[in-house]
């Protein structure tokens, strides 16, 4: 228990993975930690994520000021009523350094897997570039299968939706982009909550000066290999492969990390 707790894994997740090997309940293990009977201490247990009040930023550059027309949350709900089987992804950005590196995240609500793409600047051009690369790597059919509906907030980096929806060569629409209501990012709360794992590894104000694509991919794989109680101890990457196949997972750089090797602390990227 202690080595895995010190690697940043939660006690419930460890218990779920090693249920057959443990002779006592989760509650008893918590009591052992309180009593100092294990090498792990309470400080090694995950604390609730503290969310500081967000500071208002200055003026932002929007590529298409009318991009929200026909793509509002109300439009999203109407579209979902007509297409209830359409797979939904939630999209967001995690800022590493203001004005510098940022991570584009794409969360699959079908399996809780979250793709992560490093960008040197949090701009609409960098978001477009990510999706253009995905379109080339996956092909039209694969792209349309993965990205049917994308729900995001109204950040300036997402104000060029037509470049995400439409194939630049054929001009055909391949997916739909919709926006949460202003100041209502909770409408894509699954994506927001999953960012907690990123902050375990890249804490605010203590991040390294810069990260590489390989480091972000490594972090992505550790997070997506972490078993979830919601899925009866299965990891998001396992579910993703069941739905979309190993070939697609490989194209996206997804690789399963053994449970006991998962590290959700800053030490992973040192």
């Amino acid at each position: 228990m202690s080595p895995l707790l010190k690697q940043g894994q939660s006690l419930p997740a460890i218990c779920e993975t090693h249920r057959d090997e443990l002779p006592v309940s989760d509650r008893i293990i918590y009591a052992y930690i309180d009593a100092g009977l294990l090498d792990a201490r309470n400080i090694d247990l995950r604390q609730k994520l503290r969310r500081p009040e967000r500071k208002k930023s200055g003026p932002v550059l929007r590529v298409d000021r009318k991009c929200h027309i026909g793509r509002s949350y109300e439009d999203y709900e109407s579209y979902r009523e007509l297409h209830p089987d359409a797979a939904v992804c939630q999209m967001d950005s995690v800022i590493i350094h203001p004005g510098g590196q940022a991570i584009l995240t794409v969360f699959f609500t079908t399996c809780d897997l979250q793709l992560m793409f490093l960008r040197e600047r949090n701009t609409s051009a960098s978001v477009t570039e990510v999706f253009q690369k995905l379109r080339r790597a996956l092909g039209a059919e694969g792209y349309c299968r993965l990205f049917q509906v994308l729900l995001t907030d109204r950040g300036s980096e997402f104000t060029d939706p037509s470049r995400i929806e439409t194939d630049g060569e054929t001009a055909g629409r391949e997916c739909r982009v919709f926006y949460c209501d202003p100041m209502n990012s909770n409408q894509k709360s699954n994506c927001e909550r999953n960012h907690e794992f990123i902050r375990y590894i890249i804490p605010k104000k203590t991040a390294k000066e810069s990260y590489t694509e390989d480091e972000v991919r490594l972090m992505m794989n550790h997070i997506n290999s972490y078993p979830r109680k919601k899925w009866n101890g299965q990891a998001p990457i396992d579910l993703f492969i069941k739905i979309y196949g190993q070939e697609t997972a490989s194209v996206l750089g997804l690789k399963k990390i053994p449970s006991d090797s998962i590290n959700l602390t800053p030490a992973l990227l040192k």
Side-chain angles (χ1 to χ4, degrees), residues 185-251:
S185 59
N186 61 298
Q187 291 170 340
K188 55 175 180 62
S189 58
N190 294 336
C191 181
E192 298 271 347
R193 283 196 299 268
N194 213 63
H195 289 170
E196 179 177 346
F197 292 113
I198 297 177
R199 290 306 183 189
Y200 290 162
I201 300 169
I202 305 179
K204 289 184 177 179
K205 298 182 180 180
T206 59
K208 296 193 303 182
E209 184 176 346
S210 65
Y211 292 86
T212 67
E213 291 183 2
D214 286 343
E215 286 178 319
V216 170
R217 189 178 301 111
L218 177 65
M219 175 177 66
M220 173 182 74
N221 285 326
H222 275 252
I223 291 172
N224 287 324
S225 298
Y226 191 44
R228 309 296 163 88
K229 185 176 182 180
K230 171 183 176 180
W231 300 112
N232 296 319
Q234 295 184 86
I237 192 169
D238 296 323
L239 296 170
F240 183 91
I241 290 172
K242 288 179 182 178
I243 298 170
Y244 299 105
Q246 179 61 60
E247 184 178 351
T248 299
S250 298
V251 170

Side-chain angles (χ1 to χ4, degrees), residues 90-254:
Q90 298 177 359
M91 182 167 60
D92 202 358
S93 292
V94 174
I95 307 301
I96 299 175
H97 296 293
Q101 288 187 321
I103 298 172
L104 174 69
T105 64
V106 181
F107 182 90
F108 290 81
T109 58
T110 53
C111 58
D112 285 8
L113 181 129
Q114 193 163 49
L115 299 176
M116 302 174 192
F117 305 96
L118 179 67
R119 296 170 293 138
E120 293 304 315
R121 293 289 184 274
N122 189 36
T123 63
S124 61
S126 68
V127 172
T128 297
E129 183 180 4
V130 168
F131 280 96
Q132 288 176 340
K133 289 181 178 179
L134 287 170
R135 188 177 273 110
R136 290 194 295 269
L138 295 164
E141 183 177 349
Y143 187 88
C144 293
R145 186 182 178 213
L146 282 182
F147 308 114
Q148 299 175 20
V149 175
L150 287 160
L151 179 65
T152 188
D153 59 34
R154 300 193 174 209
S156 60
E157 71 269 33
F158 302 124
T159 55
D160 194 6
S162 61
R163 300 280 298 277
I164 299 173
E165 296 175 329
T166 307
D167 186 322
E169 295 182 3
T170 66
R173 174 176 266 179
E174 297 177 328
C175 66
R176 295 295 301 267
V177 175
F178 294 98
Y179 296 93
C180 298
D181 291 328
M183 306 301 292
N184 272 284
S185 59
N186 61 298
Q187 291 170 340
K188 55 175 180 62
S189 58
N190 294 336
C191 181
E192 298 271 347
R193 283 196 299 268
N194 213 63
H195 289 170
E196 179 177 346
F197 292 113
I198 297 177
R199 290 306 183 189
Y200 290 162
I201 300 169
I202 305 179
K204 289 184 177 179
K205 298 182 180 180
T206 59
K208 296 193 303 182
E209 184 176 346
S210 65
Y211 292 86
T212 67
E213 291 183 2
D214 286 343
E215 286 178 319
V216 170
R217 189 178 301 111
L218 177 65
M219 175 177 66
M220 173 182 74
N221 285 326
H222 275 252
I223 291 172
N224 287 324
S225 298
Y226 191 44
R228 309 296 163 88
K229 185 176 182 180
K230 171 183 176 180
W231 300 112
N232 296 319
Q234 295 184 86
I237 192 169
D238 296 323
L239 296 170
F240 183 91
I241 290 172
K242 288 179 182 178
I243 298 170
Y244 299 105
Q246 179 61 60
E247 184 178 351
T248 299
S250 298
V251 170
L252 295 171
L254 296 170

